[in-house]
């Protein structure tokens, strides 16, 4: 009998039927006996969930009871930001893998309890038995498209849209955030509002006066649509055009007399050429008389 060659490598596991696929994945699996989680393929291979939502669903089903899975805790655990994690949680809730219930605890506070569901059929039965539950995706109506953003109100238009005038108006709008951080405008909103500010500047209103008109007396409880608020103010508070005709002549500058020395005290002072003495010497001479 021949001696077996113990140094020969073992055969790799073969595909079903003894044939290797020409492409795609092959599996080399080991059966787990500890530290594992059974997850249904209806989640792992879900046709509509995003990859982040599937991975987050697998993680939530694998953790111990009591592990925090709120957005703040998950953001600290994973490198994805709060916005993406929040959207993934909403996906899981929409398709029935997650539900969040608000309940009052003994001290009177209201907290949110997160329930992970790995069996959608069981979750549906709980819902029909009267417990609050977000129904599975197949039971819910089709998702409505997001509502279109409301258009901004129209703003006054200047008589001449000179590039320099619009640039000055844009500078006024982009600087509003320095006076009130709630007035941070998008580039699209700034483009829409710039002609309205230009109409004010065209009416001989200074940039500082325009800024004061837009930022004074804002509501204290919050500004939901800052661009719409500014468009409203630019329209309803638009000042009238300046008066027709030449501007009044400016007052002449004050006369500045040359500097000279007093003939009595030699102190420097300003006075006309025919005045030889400073004010103090003139006052002292008047008292002597």
């Amino acid at each position: 009998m021949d001696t077996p060659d113990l140094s020969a490598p073992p055969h790799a596991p073969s595909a079903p039927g003894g044939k290797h696929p020409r492409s795609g994945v092959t599996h080399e699996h080991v059966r787990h006996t500890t530290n594992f989680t059974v997850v249904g393929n209806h989640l792992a291979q879900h046709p509509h969930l995003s990859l982040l939502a599937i991975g987050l669903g697998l993680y939530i089903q694998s953790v111990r009871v009591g592990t925090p899975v709120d957005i703040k805790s998950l953001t600290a655990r994973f490198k994805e930001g709060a916005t993406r994690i929040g959207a993934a949680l909403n996906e899981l809730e929409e398709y029935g893998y997650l539900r969040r219930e608000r309940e009052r605890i003994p001290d009177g506070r209201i907290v949110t309890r997160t329930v992970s569901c790995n069996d959608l059929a069981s979750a549906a039965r709980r819902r029909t038995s009267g417990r609050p539950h977000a129904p599975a995706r197949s039971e819910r109506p089709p998702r409505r498209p997001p509502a279109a953003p409301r258009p901004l109100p129209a703003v006054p238009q200047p008589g001449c849209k000179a590039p320099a005038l619009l640039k000055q108006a844009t500078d006024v709008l982009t600087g509003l955030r320095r006076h009130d951080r709630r007035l941070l405008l998008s580039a699209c909103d700034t483009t829409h509002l710039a002609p309205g500010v230009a109409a004010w500047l065209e009416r001989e209103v200074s940039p500082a006066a325009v800024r004061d008109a837009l930022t004074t007396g804002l509501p204290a409880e919050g500004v939901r649509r800052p661009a719409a608020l500014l468009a409203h103010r630019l329209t309803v508070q638009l000042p009238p055009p300046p008066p027709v005709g030449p501007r009044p002549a400016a007052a002449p500058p004050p006369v500045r007399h040359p500097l000279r020395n007093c003939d009595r005290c030699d102190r420097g002072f300003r006075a006309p050429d025919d005045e030889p003495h400073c004010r103090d010497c003139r006052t002292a001479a008047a008292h002597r008389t």
Side-chain angles (χ1 to χ4, degrees), residues 78-146:
F78 298 103
K79 64 181 180 180
E80 284 76 11
T83 301
R84 295 185 61 194
I85 288 179
L89 290 175
N90 291 337
E91 287 185 60
L92 293 172
E93 187 172 15
E94 179 181 358
Y95 284 91
Y97 291 100
L98 199 71
R99 70 176 185 267
R100 287 174 275 195
E101 302 173 350
R102 294 171 62 84
E103 63 180 21
R104 187 179 300 274
I105 59 178
D107 64 0
R109 292 183 296 117
I110 297 178
V111 298
T112 299
R113 186 165 63 94
T114 302
V115 181
S116 173
C117 307
N118 69 344
D119 184 359
L120 300 186
S122 174
R125 287 194 297 271
R126 290 190 179 188
R127 179 182 60 83
T128 56
S129 65
R131 297 187 61 180
H133 168 64
R137 181 65 178 94
S138 60
E139 304 170 2
R140 301 191 67 176
R143 182 187 299 177
R144 295 181 180 179

Side-chain angles (χ1 to χ4, degrees), residues 211-232:
R211 181 181 62 247
D212 291 342
L214 296 179
T215 59
T216 301
L218 293 178
E221 63 275 10
V223 180
R224 295 184 57 186
R225 300 183 64 206
L229 173 63
L230 297 179
H232 175 74

Side-chain angles (χ1 to χ4, degrees), residues 3-83:
T3 302
D5 186 2
L6 301 179
S7 64
H11 293 290
S14 59
K19 296 181 180 180
H20 290 282
R22 294 183 179 181
S23 62
V25 67
T26 59
H27 299 287
E28 293 185 359
H29 288 173
V30 176
R31 185 179 181 83
H32 295 291
T33 58
T34 59
N35 195 25
F36 67 94
T37 302
V38 178
V39 179
N41 283 342
H42 54 84
L43 172 60
Q45 301 177 13
H46 200 285
H48 302 298
L49 286 175
S50 66
L51 184 60
L52 177 58
I54 292 175
L56 192 55
L58 297 179
Y59 170 77
I60 293 175
Q61 291 190 17
S62 71
V63 298
R64 296 178 180 271
V65 174
T67 302
V69 290
D70 57 283
I71 294 179
K72 183 178 179 180
S73 301
L74 293 173
T75 303
R77 170 65 174 79
F78 298 103
K79 64 181 180 180
E80 284 76 11
T83 301

Side-chain angles (χ1 to χ4, degrees), residues 131-197:
R131 297 187 61 180
H133 168 64
R137 181 65 178 94
S138 60
E139 304 170 2
R140 301 191 67 176
R143 182 187 299 177
R144 295 181 180 179
R150 285 179 291 175
L152 292 177
V155 295
Q157 299 296 312
C160 177
K161 294 185 178 180
L165 184 64
L166 292 176
K167 174 63 169 58
Q168 189 179 19
T170 300
D171 292 342
V172 172
L173 291 168
T174 55
L176 295 179
R177 71 184 82 170
R178 300 175 181 173
H179 300 271
D180 193 319
R181 61 182 181 180
R182 298 175 296 176
L183 299 181
L184 176 61
L185 302 173
S186 67
C188 183
D189 291 342
T190 303
T191 301
H192 178 84
L193 297 174
V197 176

